[in-house]
Amino acid sequence: MNVLLVHQNFPGQFKHLAPALVKRGDRVVALTINEPAAIAGVDTHRAVPQISTGSKLPWAQEFETKLIRGESAFRKALELRAAGFEPDVIMAHPGWGDTFFLKDVWPKARLAIYCEFFYKSDGGDADFDPEFLNSDDPIARNIRLKLKGLPQKLHFPMANRGLAPTEFQKSTYPSSFRDRITVIHDGIDTNAIRPRDNGRITFGDGRSVTRNDEIITFVARNLEPYRGYHIFMRALPALLRKRPNARVFIIGSNGTSYGALPPTGRNWRDIFLKEVRSELDMERVHFAGSLTYPVFLELLSISRLHIYLTYPFVLSWSLLEAMALGAPVLASDTAPLHEVIRHGENGLLFPFFDTEALAEEGARILADVALRRSLSKNARATAVEHYDLASVCLPQQLAFVDAVANDAALAPILENDR
């Protein structure tokens, strides 16, 4: 079978699927915009846009950028077709416009789109945190979100199926397309990511921390409100007062992945650190920045308490990696967590905005050895049973690709959505 994988940051969510398709004998071609990671057996092509947006209207700039990318991918697809490539299945992340015109090049190919998240103006992430709504014009926000969802919506009439990593992420999509979405997580390699007795992090001055130390971890790709960094920092002074021997490692960069940008010239990390810095013993607070993956796993392996917060948004891989390592988890009681964390069994949940509850529950976990052991054991079991790459997720992903390939011609059920 010929499979075309499309992702602007290839391999992205296809990093396990791509080599598995190659291994079983499929011909795999990848189409991307940015410099891709090399995967043996995958024929990768870049569609680099030659122009940039010229629109002066801010709301139009993002969509025009996607059209430019779509046109670039369209031209590269024509080259691939001219060279004889005809995909049976196109698996694509539709969020950046790369896939707008691929069905015009290969009308017989079956198309499956990766359904990561569908933005809406109410009842989701956009209106979740009142702290960041007051300065946001609601009319501008609604227009921005409607345009942000348009690229995906344009794919609904031509996509045979969708693939979402969680039930929550599926639930964000319009009901007219939701029935076509299958839930299969990207997968965690729980054989490699497993509890370690000898984990150790060594500082530049030679000092080390191990599982014998009281380590708290907090992880986000970027330290920003969408992942609750502001709530965590406001709770941290009380938590460290309750646990005078604890040390916290905060992992993440200073950029902005989602949501509002910080004031010009500043970053969210420093803004919220400044709020509480006078109340913190900074000898016990370590900003680790962006770590290499092995060091990241090593640090999580010695964590006695892993704190995870998120708006109603995409669930982070880091949460499941922490659970696979057996880290006791305290997480925000928000929708993405409800299908993963069973309160009191494999983790604890607290109200997102309740900094006092975060500090109290965090201190309770750290003080209760039996509770930590129970949470750790059950967190690991959840990761293995439901999210293991080799035994659960990857076989389901391969079966999904086969099912897409065997789909009949696309039924016109969604024509009215155009």
Side-chain angles (χ1 to χ4, degrees), residues 7 12-14 91-94 113-118 152 162-173 180-188 227 313-317 320 336 339-340 386-388 392-393 396-397 400:
H7 195 295
Q13 288 88 353
F14 305 138
M91 284 280 294
H93 194 309
I113 58 174
Y114 187 86
C115 298
E116 186 171 19
F117 192 76
F118 193 86
Q152 291 197 70
L163 178 67
T166 69
E167 291 288 348
F168 167 73
Q169 286 163 260
K170 172 182 175 177
S171 74
T172 64
Y173 281 77
R180 294 193 177 187
I181 300 176
T182 299
V183 175
I184 305 172
H185 195 266
D186 308 317
I188 302 296
R227 296 307 190 190
F313 193 57
V314 174
L315 189 73
S316 303
W317 287 342
L320 297 173
E339 65 192 271
V340 180
H386 298 289
Y387 302 101
D388 179 63
V392 180
C393 300
Q396 291 179 358
Q397 291 171 24
F400 176 81

Side-chain angles (χ1 to χ4, degrees), residues 116-182:
E116 186 171 19
F117 192 76
F118 193 86
Y119 291 90
K120 51 187 177 182
S121 59
D122 56 78
D125 60 310
D127 62 347
F128 176 73
D129 192 338
E131 183 172 350
F132 299 97
L133 287 179
N134 294 336
S135 61
D136 194 3
D137 179 353
I139 297 176
R141 184 174 70 249
N142 289 349
I143 294 174
R144 175 174 54 83
L145 291 170
K146 181 170 287 189
L147 289 175
K148 201 172 186 69
L150 184 57
Q152 291 197 70
K153 196 168 185 179
L154 290 174
H155 288 79
F156 295 163
M158 58 183 174
N160 293 75
R161 300 193 185 203
L163 178 67
T166 69
E167 291 288 348
F168 167 73
Q169 286 163 260
K170 172 182 175 177
S171 74
T172 64
Y173 281 77
S175 58
S176 57
F177 187 70
R178 204 177 302 149
D179 289 345
R180 294 193 177 187
I181 300 176
T182 299

Side-chain angles (χ1 to χ4, degrees), residues 287-364:
F287 283 92
S290 181
L291 300 177
T292 64
Y293 193 58
V295 174
F296 164 76
L297 294 179
E298 191 81 354
L299 181 53
L300 287 184
S301 77
I302 65 173
S303 179
R304 288 195 191 178
L305 172 63
H306 182 67
I307 298 174
Y308 176 78
L309 297 91
T310 185
Y311 284 11
F313 193 57
V314 174
L315 189 73
S316 303
W317 287 342
S318 64
L319 171 71
L320 297 173
E321 290 164 332
M323 293 174 70
L325 286 161
V329 171
L330 175 62
S332 59
D333 189 6
T334 43
L337 278 304
H338 294 164
E339 65 192 271
V340 180
I341 300 295
R342 298 182 296 277
H343 181 67
E345 182 179 337
N346 63 354
L348 295 185
L349 298 173
F350 71 95
F352 182 96
F353 298 104
D354 193 339
T355 57
E356 183 178 340
L358 191 164
E360 288 183 356
E361 291 289 74
R364 179 162 76 95

Side-chain angles (χ1 to χ4, degrees), residues 129-267:
D129 192 338
E131 183 172 350
F132 299 97
L133 287 179
N134 294 336
S135 61
D136 194 3
D137 179 353
I139 297 176
R141 184 174 70 249
N142 289 349
I143 294 174
R144 175 174 54 83
L145 291 170
K146 181 170 287 189
L147 289 175
K148 201 172 186 69
L150 184 57
Q152 291 197 70
K153 196 168 185 179
L154 290 174
H155 288 79
F156 295 163
M158 58 183 174
N160 293 75
R161 300 193 185 203
L163 178 67
T166 69
E167 291 288 348
F168 167 73
Q169 286 163 260
K170 172 182 175 177
S171 74
T172 64
Y173 281 77
S175 58
S176 57
F177 187 70
R178 204 177 302 149
D179 289 345
R180 294 193 177 187
I181 300 176
T182 299
V183 175
I184 305 172
H185 195 266
D186 308 317
I188 302 296
D189 185 354
T190 64
N191 186 50
I193 305 173
R194 58 189 309 120
R196 309 172 185 181
D197 294 329
N198 59 348
R200 177 182 297 270
I201 294 293
T202 302
F203 296 97
D205 61 6
R207 294 177 300 156
S208 296
V209 289
T210 69
R211 289 173 64 88
N212 294 324
D213 297 290
E214 192 168 293
I215 301 301
I216 302 168
T217 51
F218 176 89
V219 175
R221 181 167 63 180
N222 281 299
L223 302 176
E224 58 189 330
Y226 252 68
R227 296 307 190 190
Y229 169 70
H230 57 318
I231 304 299
F232 170 75
M233 290 303 294
R234 290 164 180 169
L236 190 56
L239 176 56
L240 293 183
R241 282 195 298 269
K242 294 174 186 291
R243 303 301 300 175
N245 294 320
R247 304 173 76 164
V248 59
F249 285 80
I250 303 169
I251 305 166
S253 299
N254 297 340
T256 303
S257 299
Y258 315 107
L261 293 171
T264 302
R266 305 182 69 191
N267 61 67

Side-chain angles (χ1 to χ4, degrees), residues 88-109:
D88 300 295
V89 172
I90 301 172
M91 284 280 294
H93 194 309
W96 300 285
D98 315 32
T99 44
F100 276 150
F101 311 114
L102 296 186
K103 284 284 285 185
D104 295 288
V105 179
W106 295 295
K108 293 182 180 180

